[in-house]
Amino acid sequence: MSKATTFGEFIMDGQAEFPFVSGQLTRLLTDIGVAAKIVNHQVNRAGLAGILGDAGSTNIQDETQQKLDVFADVTFMRILTAGKSVAGIGSEEQEEPILCGDLGKAGKYIVLIDPLDGSSNVDVNVSIGTIFRIQRRKTPMGEPLTKHDFLQAGTEQVASGYVLYGSSTMLVYTTGSGVNGFTLDPAVGEFFLSHPGMKFPEIGKIYSMNDALLSKCSTPTKLFIEECRENTDAGFIARYIGSLVSDFHRNLIHGGIYLYPSLKDKPEGKLRLLYECSPLAFIAEQAGGLAIDDHGSILEKTPTDLHQRVPYYVGNKNLVEAFLKFQQAEK
Ligand code: AHM
Ligand code: MG
């Protein structure tokens, strides 16, 4: 029987093949895998460990934090700051960026992370996830980090990925040469390559949006959803978990589009550019899909604020392009 490739072996092989994948990035990705296993362990036994429910605190977005949100944030921060490769971290759960060591003078990389996405699903045993993006620092090594190290366009990412804590736990990532997925074997505590070269199917027929928001959406979104609904005989279906990583992952495998649009009372939608939208946009484009907001490519957008929100439409090319036609007709 041939031996399956582990996540660690795969990133080491990648380092040899691509000169831009440095030893530091290999170590950083390995650390993310380790933190993911620790968080996975707690997610799996959350009902037993007494860590379900509110933590009694709110994050920078004034959203109630779950105990597991806090646990995941603390775990990723502890592991990422202990390694030598990270200079600074921006977390959805923390107002200010974290500068590692002495003002982030050492370390080559910046990490932006949503440690536990889909918090509203934590208490009800529905899949949740971690989303991360990695970029190089802009200021020279030895100098303190500035906001420009954090506020970079999505095209500057050197790697991004997600961990899905689902019926099985998966880690999916890209370094810009395709998307690969690894499944955790809990018996041996290793992620094994299970989904090499992930691509969206040619044609997607799933649409994923919080339907209750439709009356607050702009005309292009209303018209697009209407068209999807009119095409159920052609196989169109709606699927919405309300957990971005899970909705994105399903759409990547079965073919679909995820929408969190601009709303009358929330013109920027809900999702965060740096922690959620751009890392998944990098994966989407590497898998043959597309990701846009109301003005164009998500990856080309340069953030102005660490916690900036953007309307988000991501998934199969055929569906995002169909949506784009309604957007263009409106302009
Ligand atoms: P969170 O980061 O607070 O968990 O919010 C993000 C989540 C996404 O995972 C999900 O797609 C979306 O919020 C669901 O929002 P809504 O309940 O408005 O449909
Ligand atoms: Mg989130």
Side-chain angles (χ1 to χ4, degrees):
M1 195 176 90
S2 65
K3 184 187 143 318
T5 307
T6 67
F7 177 55
E9 287 166 345
F10 191 87
I11 47 181
M12 288 296 283
D13 290 350
Q15 181 181 333
E17 269 172 50
F18 303 103
F20 58 85
V21 179
S22 69
Q24 283 202 31
L25 183 57
T26 300
R27 275 199 292 277
L28 170 48
L29 287 167
T30 308
D31 284 350
I32 287 176
V34 170
K37 284 186 226 172
I38 297 172
V39 171
N40 178 63
H41 180 65
Q42 282 306 83
V43 168
N44 283 170
R45 55 194 290 277
L48 298 171
I51 54 167
L52 286 180
D54 292 0
S57 50
T58 53
N59 66 9
I60 160 73
Q61 350 266 341
D62 223 18
E63 296 157 340
T64 307
Q65 287 180 304
Q66 303 286 311
K67 288 178 194 161
L68 265 177
D69 277 332
V70 176
F71 178 84
D73 190 47
V74 169
T75 302
F76 276 99
M77 293 310 127
R78 184 165 52 84
I79 289 182
L80 293 176
T81 52
K84 302 234 178 324
S85 43
V86 182
I89 309 167
S91 164
E92 186 184 298
E93 299 301 330
Q94 306 207 27
E95 182 163 3
E96 297 295 336
I98 292 125
L99 309 183
C100 304
D102 179 16
L103 298 174
K105 289 180 188 165
K108 195 167 163 187
Y109 293 103
I110 307 292
V111 178
L112 285 314
I113 189 161
D114 183 351
L116 203 65
D117 183 71
S119 310
S120 66
N121 286 313
V122 165
D123 278 4
V124 289
N125 254 326
V126 172
S127 303
I128 44 184
T130 295
I131 310 171
F132 62 91
R133 94 174 228 176
I134 301 171
Q135 60 206 31
R136 289 191 188 86
R137 65 184 298 148
K138 287 279 178 202
T139 48
M141 294 277 258
E143 287 181 19
L145 292 181
T146 71
K147 66 175 186 182
H148 302 295
D149 293 299
F150 293 89
L151 303 181
Q152 298 186 36
T155 46
E156 302 286 312
Q157 295 176 83
V158 294
S160 78
Y162 61 83
V163 185
L164 173 60
Y165 310 100
S167 49
S168 59
T169 295
M170 279 195 72
L171 192 157
V172 174
Y173 87 108
T174 184
T175 51
S177 47
V179 179
N180 292 287
F182 300 78
T183 301
L184 181 67
D185 183 339
V188 287
E190 273 290 1
F191 283 105
F192 289 100
L193 180 62
S194 52
H195 295 61
M198 294 174 86
K199 289 271 176 210
F200 282 97
E202 197 64 33
I203 299 293
K205 293 185 176 176
I206 300 170
Y207 65 101
S208 313
M209 200 192 93
N210 182 344
D211 190 78
L213 302 174
L214 201 59
S215 63
K216 295 181 181 177
C217 293
S218 61
T219 309
T221 306
K222 284 180 182 162
L223 291 176
F224 176 77
I225 297 293
E226 206 172 290
E227 181 159 291
C228 292
R229 287 174 179 172
E230 279 165 9
N231 279 291
T232 51
D233 287 345
F236 271 78
I237 54 169
R239 289 285 183 274
Y240 189 68
I241 299 169
S243 187
L244 175 60
V245 173
S246 319
D247 281 310
F248 179 89
H249 184 75
R250 184 210 46 247
N251 290 349
L252 173 56
I253 290 184
H254 290 313
I257 181 172
Y258 172 97
L259 308 92
Y260 210 108
S262 44
L263 304 172
K264 261 187 210 140
D265 53 345
K266 288 185 191 161
E268 301 310 324
K270 175 180 183 189
L271 302 179
R272 295 76 171 177
L273 176 58
L274 280 168
Y275 312 119
E276 294 161 328
C277 304
S278 63
L280 294 185
F282 191 21
I283 302 251
E285 295 210 357
Q286 285 292 316
L290 278 179
I292 58 169
D293 67 358
D294 286 340
H295 306 287
S297 155
I298 284 282
L299 286 183
E300 280 163 25
K301 214 173 165 69
T302 302
T304 50
D305 179 74
L306 203 54
H307 297 284
Q308 183 175 347
R309 297 172 195 259
V310 279
Y312 194 44
Y313 317 94
V314 64
N316 259 84
K317 213 175 212 169
N318 74 300
L319 294 172
V320 179
E321 280 174 350
F323 175 77
L324 200 53
K325 283 201 185 120
F326 287 111
Q327 264 191 349
Q328 282 161 350
E330 178 80 354
K331 282 175 187 161

